[in-house]
Amino acid sequence: MSTPATTSLCTWFVAACMSVGCQNDSTMLSCRSSTNRRRRLFSKCRAQLATSLVPRSSRIQGLISSFEPCHEYYSSQSVCSKDFLFGDNKAFGSIFRDVSRRKRIHSAPRSGEAVAVAVQPLMEDAIKKKPSTKHRRVVVTGMGVETSIGHDPDVFYNNLLEGVSGISEIEGFDCSNYPTKIAGEIKSFSTDGWVAPKLSKRMDKFMLYMLTAGKKALADSGVTEEIMDQMDKSKCGVLIGSAMGGMKVFNDAIEALRISYRKMNPFCVPFATTNMGSAMLAMDLGWMGPNYSISTACATSNFCILNAANHIIRGEADMMLSGGSDAVIIPIGLGGFVACRALSQRNNDPTKASRPWDNNRDGFVMGEGAGVLVLEELEHAKARGAKIYAEFLGGSFTSDAYHMTEPHPDGAGVILCIEKALAHSGVSREDVNYINAHATSTPAGDLKEYQALLHCFGQNKELRVNSTKSMIGHLLGAAGAVEAVAAVQAIRTGWIHPNINLDTPDERVDMNVLVGPKKERLKVKVALSNSFGFGGHNSSILFAPFQ
């Protein structure tokens, strides 16, 4: 029996075929005279669709097994074992677990049934009708991080408040021949309980950071396996991006290719793409809602967070995992940014190297890690008794349309972005009293952003501005998400972290606006977080205490 989804798709396909046929077949006097042809096409279409709708488990396992490596690459077997994809963390079962043990409101497809069965009659109205978007507020109910100063949101933020620097000498490879030898490198990282060991050895670090931070965020939100079983997974999505993707996996594949293609990691192509982290996380959770990634250089995370929130506001999702991840502290990554002349060379004193707005700043310091927020529709969060950290108000994007790496001379793109974000969020300038700035410790970028902030908020005497990058460096595509966590933590705790290394402030900045070397008490009314990226990408997002 054909499902409604099959019938609809088939009808569309036949209509398309007939349309083309009617336009191109000169022997046909009228489309009305082609009844027999319609029937033949319709029957053929249905047969092909029935053949293509394979069971979900077969489809996923087939995808993985199709990348079975050559014998010369490694000798391990059973690539598609039950625990291949993800670890044994009890809060989240693998998609390969026997679905019969789960008690779902919408039961999973049984072995041998077509994937189209997932479109059940109870869901038809939701698919056919546009959901109401009135008063759909978005809140933050969970957070996860992987950084050089903490792998837990509270540890991470406490270290920020104490002014702890995560910048140190690079240990991952020999960089003695590079002019820059320091970074915000994660020294200790474990995937135990989160990602299966076999997969941990093959994945790029950016994916591992993403998966662990994503699962930690979900655990922090209080979503247990029992709660997951009650959720409508068609309205749960993953939107976590990366600026650079799996650069190491791809670089290793190129080196292997110099010997033979047989030596290449069979996962090098999928594991190098920026979308695969989100995809793998969605597979593990069984989430069938919006699932993709965005890559807009160092503005990636903010783009992902705002787009994820918009899916919720439009009624396309009730819960979204959103943020960013990057891991490019490797020879090609360091070398590339050195070639751009963008990095600090303060190798003799690593913890002092990242110094936004300081007169002696000499470039940014590379960092690595991931940040993930659980964004959730307010009523959905209330219904499951979730704790609410903050409310997401809105944001905006703009383009400088000026230069690949340099900011616009008069800050027009940044100013426009902030003003549009305020308008979108319904927030007045006077209400914004805390800004987590993009400030990367570059001579031009720090000052241009500061001037844009004064242009927009110069009359606000309560305004306080800081830069998380002074302690963890620049996490590229993950920067915005980690800084969003810092902004939410500021709202939760009533404390804002210091700007370390601001020893000799640039004479063009006002220390009455910038946070000093010590943490400060602040009752945050509205927090704004900026992220800007190569290519002139500007993004601003806003959070506020939930009321």
Side-chain angles (χ1 to χ4, degrees):
M1 180 181 293
S2 297
T3 64
T6 307
T7 304
S8 300
L9 181 59
C10 219
T11 302
W12 173 86
F13 184 78
V14 171
C17 291
M18 293 308 300
S19 176
V20 173
C22 288
Q23 292 174 11
N24 299 331
D25 193 345
S26 60
T27 64
M28 295 180 65
L29 299 177
S30 170
C31 287
R32 294 178 180 175
S33 64
S34 60
T35 302
N36 292 332
R37 186 181 178 190
R38 284 198 195 98
R39 289 174 178 170
R40 288 196 301 272
L41 284 172
F42 189 77
S43 299
K44 182 179 180 181
C45 173
R46 291 183 61 176
Q48 289 175 343
L49 281 173
T51 302
S52 64
L53 290 173
V54 298
R56 179 183 176 212
S57 58
S58 300
R59 187 158 47 95
I60 299 288
Q61 293 180 3
L63 169 65
I64 297 297
S65 61
S66 67
F67 288 101
E68 183 67 38
C70 297
H71 177 74
E72 290 84 351
Y73 180 72
Y74 60 82
S75 59
S76 62
Q77 301 298 320
S78 301
V79 175
C80 291
S81 62
K82 181 179 178 181
D83 63 346
F84 170 70
L85 271 180
F86 293 90
D88 58 357
N89 185 275
K90 294 182 179 179
F92 315 106
S94 168
I95 55 173
F96 300 119
R97 179 175 298 170
D98 181 6
V99 297
S100 65
R101 288 186 291 174
R102 297 187 180 183
K103 296 180 180 178
R104 286 187 171 86
I105 290 179
H106 304 304
S107 59
R110 297 186 183 90
S111 176
E113 289 183 342
V115 178
V117 175
V119 185
Q120 299 180 20
L122 291 177
M123 299 167 59
E124 289 180 15
D125 290 339
I127 294 172
K128 293 178 181 178
K129 298 177 183 178
K130 182 178 179 181
S132 173
T133 58
K134 288 185 178 179
H135 310 300
R136 284 181 65 87
R137 297 166 66 182
V138 180
V139 293
V140 180
T141 58
M143 298 179 287
V145 296
E146 297 294 346
T147 73
S148 58
I149 60 172
H151 307 284
D152 168 88
D154 290 335
V155 173
F156 163 68
Y157 198 65
N158 286 336
N159 281 330
L160 286 180
L161 292 178
E162 296 305 314
V164 175
S165 174
I167 311 302
S168 60
E169 293 184 1
I170 296 173
E171 298 177 1
F173 61 96
D174 180 12
C175 57
S176 57
N177 293 326
Y178 292 77
T180 293
K181 302 173 177 63
I182 58 175
E185 186 179 45
I186 295 177
K187 305 298 186 186
S188 60
F189 171 68
S190 174
T191 61
D192 291 350
W194 303 106
V195 183
K198 190 176 291 185
L199 194 60
S200 294
K201 295 177 182 178
R202 296 167 180 156
M203 271 187 172
D204 192 279
K205 268 190 176 180
F206 99 93
M207 291 180 68
L208 296 177
Y209 291 154
M210 183 187 298
L211 293 172
T212 54
K215 285 191 170 186
K216 287 178 180 180
L218 203 55
D220 181 57
S221 72
V223 177
T224 63
E225 188 169 10
E226 291 72 26
I227 292 176
M228 282 270 285
D229 287 343
Q230 301 301 314
M231 291 167 56
D232 181 354
K233 294 182 177 62
S234 70
K235 301 196 73 174
C236 297
V238 184
L239 210 178
I240 307 175
S242 175
M244 310 300 288
M247 185 176 283
K248 186 177 187 305
V249 165
F250 201 76
N251 185 72
D252 290 348
I254 293 174
E255 293 302 316
L257 185 59
R258 297 180 189 277
I259 301 172
S260 168
Y261 74 90
R262 296 178 182 275
K263 297 291 184 181
M264 292 175 67
N265 182 341
F267 298 95
C268 65
V269 172
F271 283 0
T273 59
T274 61
N275 71 296
M276 198 54 64
S278 286
M280 298 291 272
L281 186 52
M283 290 178 201
D284 188 47
L285 300 175
W287 286 13
M288 300 173 67
N291 175 233
Y292 57 103
S293 68
I294 296 173
S295 183
T296 49
C298 304
T300 291
S301 286
N302 277 12
F303 274 69
C304 290
I305 291 169
L306 181 51
N307 276 281
N310 286 337
H311 283 300
I312 295 174
I313 292 169
R314 292 195 296 263
E316 298 161 356
D318 291 329
M319 180 182 287
M320 294 287 297
L321 287 170
S322 62
S325 179
D326 260 319
V328 291
I329 303 178
I330 57 176
I332 191 172
L334 181 65
F337 282 110
V338 164
C340 290
R341 300 180 181 179
L343 300 181
S344 169
Q345 298 182 19
R346 194 183 288 263
N347 301 308
N348 59 341
D349 196 359
T351 62
K352 297 287 186 181
S354 186
R355 45 199 314 116
W357 300 297
D358 187 80
N359 207 41
N360 296 314
R361 63 193 185 277
D362 68 329
F364 76 84
V365 178
M366 290 178 66
E368 65 178 353
V372 177
L373 299 179
V374 177
L375 298 182
E376 193 168 354
E377 195 274 325
L378 176 58
E379 297 306 319
H380 187 274
K382 285 182 176 180
R384 68 178 185 88
K387 60 182 179 294
I388 296 175
Y389 292 137
E391 181 171 3
F392 179 81
L393 301 181
S396 184
F397 319 127
T398 61
S399 170
D400 275 351
Y402 173 72
H403 191 272
M404 279 196 300
T405 59
E406 294 296 321
H408 197 285
D410 60 8
V414 174
I415 292 171
L416 178 62
C417 184
I418 294 172
E419 290 179 343
K420 288 178 65 178
L422 294 173
H424 177 260
S425 306
V427 173
S428 66
R429 300 179 184 220
E430 295 74 22
D431 288 334
V432 178
N433 63 341
Y434 170 55
I435 296 175
N436 191 301
H438 179 67
T440 62
S441 188
T442 58
D446 290 7
L447 190 60
K448 293 303 179 184
E449 180 184 12
Y450 173 82
Q451 292 170 342
L453 294 178
L454 283 192
H455 176 90
C456 295
F457 305 103
Q459 303 304 313
N460 189 346
K461 296 181 180 180
E462 297 180 2
L463 182 66
R464 307 301 288 152
V465 180
N466 62 13
S467 172
T468 304
K469 295 182 182 71
S470 65
M471 285 169 269
I472 62 174
H474 191 357
L475 273 62
L476 307 178
V482 171
E483 290 157 15
V485 170
V488 172
Q489 290 286 55
I491 292 171
R492 286 186 63 220
T493 64
W495 288 95
I496 55 176
H497 70 70
N499 286 306
I500 68 169
N501 303 326
L502 192 50
D503 303 326
T504 54
D506 191 308
E507 58 273 10
R508 292 163 289 186
V509 302
D510 183 358
M511 285 305 296
N512 291 320
V513 175
L514 301 180
V515 181
K518 299 292 183 181
K519 65 182 180 182
E520 296 181 8
R521 266 285 183 195
L522 182 68
K523 184 178 181 181
V524 179
K525 293 189 289 187
V526 175
L528 181 143
S529 181
N530 283 336
S531 286
F532 314 129
F534 280 2
H537 303 292
N538 305 309
S539 62
S540 300
I541 56 177
L542 296 101
F543 300 90
F546 171 67
Q547 297 176 347

